[in-house]
Amino acid sequence: MVTMKKVSGAALATILACVPLAACSDGSAKNTTAGSEQGKGQASQSAASGSKVSDKLLELSIHFHDGDNKVFKDDFPVFKKAQEMTNVKLHGTAPPSATNSREVFNMMLASGKLPDIVGGLKLDMNKAALDGALEPLDDLIEKHAPNIKKFLQTNKWAKAGSVASDGKLYFIPYIMEGEASEGWYIRQDWLDKLGMKAPKTVDEYYQTLKAFREKDPNGNGKKDEVPYFGRNNKEAITQLVPLFGVRPEWHVINGKVQYGKYLPEYKDAMVNISKWYKEDLIDKEIYTRGAKAREVLLGDNVGGATHDWFPSSATYNDTLKDKIQGFKFVVMAPVADKNGKVWQEYSRMLLRDKGWGIASTSKNKVEVIKYFDFWFTPEGRRLMNFGIEGVQYDMKDGKPIFKPEVLNGKEPVNKQLWDIGAQLDIGYQMDLSYETQWTNPIANTGIKMYIDNKYFAPQFPSVSFTPKEEKTISEKWPAIDTYIREMQQKWVMGAEAVEPNYDKYLKRLKEMGMDDIVKIYQDAYERYQKNA
Ligand code: CA
């Protein structure tokens, strides 16, 4: 969990398939993201009586290597608990010392000796599956996994977004709950000081940032305010693009797939954003400041507004309250874009591009799918989300509530849970109330506002590419992406004027094969639609 996975992730297709930031983890370990709704009523706290997978203790092997700190350990307490309930003991085969999960995955495949259970990224899993390494799961689910079957029937998008390009399902995905991830934050105490209300339109937002710059809201007599800032070097400017009525990434309009930064409308966004930058409304170092932007600019009492993750941004209200008198950093609704529409581009992708599947060589396929199914029972889901009853949480009014020592522990809650084998990105569904319990109230209020008002624009679905399509993408996209980023930076920083050069930009992208990429996305989207 370094900074935004979206841009730092190695997998090209992960980058492509991932709406910026939406599918990505928060930068800080303590604050992934959170939601507002309390957990649904949970089943009784007693262990599932019918969850035994095997009469005798059955040992299955598993490859699970998900980054540096999430490698399967045989002594994970959560999996020992699961063993009591299912009679299945897992033995991890991935080397814990390795750091590159995709490399380890490929080495495991190349060894020819596959474990019963294989965990990995959608891209790698489906590629391995098409090569015959993984078992198709549809029949096994139909016959032996009633809980998974029910889940996939009521959440068709989860299957549609996970199947390989042959239309078959080869892995059970990790699914999140709660769309809210990022939103717009502003210094309420500065607004109050200047006698202004939270802006409601893009023009008012401009005026607000202008006032932050001109009217010395931090009261030190210096023109040192940085009205708008962001900590994601590669995406911070793009996050402003929706203000001008453009969806910057892959999206669908009336069945037609398009890419925002290849549209005529993107020009107007660039013209305006470069004007904002020139007028010092945007951090001069927005392309380079990086992960510490909030700490530095809020901590120095010069930062005024940003677009960032709900939970982690709210924590500055606690950490800075003694340092900056009256400091109040709150969530505001998205302002109406230049067309008068209020919407939020960035949200959390509920379907993650990873999960676990069954090796085609496994002798225990039925037992494995039954074991997978256990994690979709209320008891299994609770175990993976909250850990062990009486240790990490207690049941109160039918709901799992973390113990105070967990909520106030030295380590962040999610880190504590990873350490015992909970919240691993295996095939299961995250429970939103796991996050809500340790999220700052200011963030929870903002999250609730965004969810209740249905601000989120529909995300581009998790499509699958054929090997041929993937080859074309990997040949053409990196250069296209680099060019798009270079031109954006040139325009914003004033190295080149937008207006006279925009047509040249579109023409260059066409020459680089952008239309081929759009066509590939269109085809992949149409395949997806057949399953959705
Ligand atoms: Ca000042």
Side-chain angles (χ1 to χ4, degrees), residues 85-98:
M85 296 160 89
T86 61
N87 243 350
V88 170
K89 178 180 165 48
L90 294 193
H91 167 61
T93 57
S97 56

Side-chain angles (χ1 to χ4, degrees), residues 51-59 86-88 367 370:
S51 56
K52 286 269 185 287
V53 164
S54 162
D55 293 336
K56 287 186 297 185
L57 183 67
L58 175 69
E59 184 170 313
T86 61
N87 243 350
V88 170
E367 287 80 7
K370 285 181 174 174

Side-chain angles (χ1 to χ4, degrees), residues 99-349:
T99 52
N100 186 327
S101 296
R102 298 193 71 203
E103 243 172 57
V104 177
F105 185 93
N106 287 327
M107 280 162 56
M108 177 264 304
L109 278 185
S111 77
K113 198 167 170 285
L114 302 186
D116 297 291
I117 300 173
V118 177
L121 292 175
K122 169 185 170 179
L123 173 75
D124 295 326
M125 296 285 279
N126 282 341
K127 186 167 181 293
L130 295 178
D131 289 341
L134 298 181
E135 187 71 11
L137 302 181
D138 299 78
D139 285 351
L140 286 165
I141 293 170
E142 178 66 32
K143 288 181 190 140
H144 306 288
N147 293 287
I148 295 176
K149 185 181 162 186
K150 191 173 151 210
F151 180 85
L152 294 179
Q153 271 172 350
T154 41
N155 298 279
K156 287 202 160 46
W157 47 270
K159 185 175 172 184
S162 302
V163 293
S165 55
D166 66 358
K168 291 181 188 168
L169 183 70
Y170 292 97
F171 70 94
I172 306 296
Y174 165 42
I175 300 121
M176 301 195 98
E177 198 177 38
E179 292 164 292
S181 58
E182 293 155 272
W184 300 89
Y185 267 84
I186 195 160
R187 284 287 296 270
Q188 180 65 47
D189 53 324
W190 284 11
L191 288 174
D192 294 344
K193 197 163 175 185
L194 299 175
M196 300 179 85
K197 285 196 172 133
K200 297 266 188 243
T201 65
V202 62
D203 291 335
E204 287 177 13
Y205 195 42
Y206 169 80
Q207 295 301 339
T208 304
L209 298 178
K210 197 87 179 157
F212 280 2
R213 181 65 190 163
E214 307 289 339
K215 296 187 176 166
D216 192 26
N218 68 6
N220 64 356
K222 291 184 216 161
K223 202 170 174 179
D224 56 351
E225 285 80 2
V226 180
Y228 185 87
F229 63 93
R231 68 188 161 110
N232 184 331
N233 291 351
K234 284 188 155 180
E235 304 298 338
I237 287 292
T238 296
Q239 287 170 3
L240 291 169
V241 168
L243 297 177
F244 302 96
V246 187
R247 300 200 64 184
E249 312 291 336
W250 293 104
H251 61 279
V252 184
I253 304 275
N254 298 328
K256 192 168 163 254
V257 176
Q258 46 189 33
Y259 188 70
K261 286 173 253 183
Y262 188 47
L263 295 176
E265 303 92 282
Y266 178 57
K267 177 169 79 174
D268 179 59
M270 283 296 98
V271 167
N272 279 285
I273 292 169
S274 57
K275 176 173 180 281
W276 289 22
Y277 184 89
K278 196 175 173 201
E279 295 176 11
D280 295 334
L281 307 187
I282 294 172
D283 184 10
K284 285 289 183 224
E285 295 174 47
I286 197 149
Y287 282 106
T288 50
R289 194 181 293 275
K292 295 267 177 215
R294 289 181 306 186
E295 273 101 311
V296 172
L297 296 174
L298 293 175
D300 290 348
N301 197 17
V302 292
T306 195
H307 176 279
D308 208 321
W309 287 72
F310 287 110
S312 57
S313 301
T315 61
Y316 292 92
N317 290 292
D318 298 326
T319 55
L320 295 175
K321 69 177 190 294
D322 296 330
K323 191 180 168 195
I324 302 169
Q325 209 198 346
F327 181 88
K328 205 171 168 199
F329 200 45
V330 304
V331 179
M332 63 175 202
V335 298
D337 70 14
K338 72 158 196 175
N339 304 317
K341 290 195 178 124
V342 179
W343 55 287
Q344 170 66 9
E345 169 72 26
Y346 300 94
S347 59
R348 178 154 73 178
M349 205 167 212

Side-chain angles (χ1 to χ4, degrees), residues 457-505:
Q459 291 185 354
F460 190 73
S462 181
V463 298
S464 287
F465 301 109
T466 64
K468 187 166 170 264
E469 289 169 343
E470 238 161 50
K471 186 163 176 284
T472 307
I473 291 171
S474 63
E475 281 165 5
K476 297 188 175 180
W477 179 256
I480 290 174
D481 186 51
T482 302
Y483 177 68
I484 289 172
R485 291 178 187 284
E486 276 172 11
M487 291 310 293
Q488 184 193 76
Q489 190 164 348
K490 256 189 191 174
W491 291 333
V492 170
M493 298 181 77
E496 185 184 291
V498 185
E499 178 76 49
N501 294 297
Y502 198 74
D503 288 346
K504 203 171 72 190
Y505 163 79

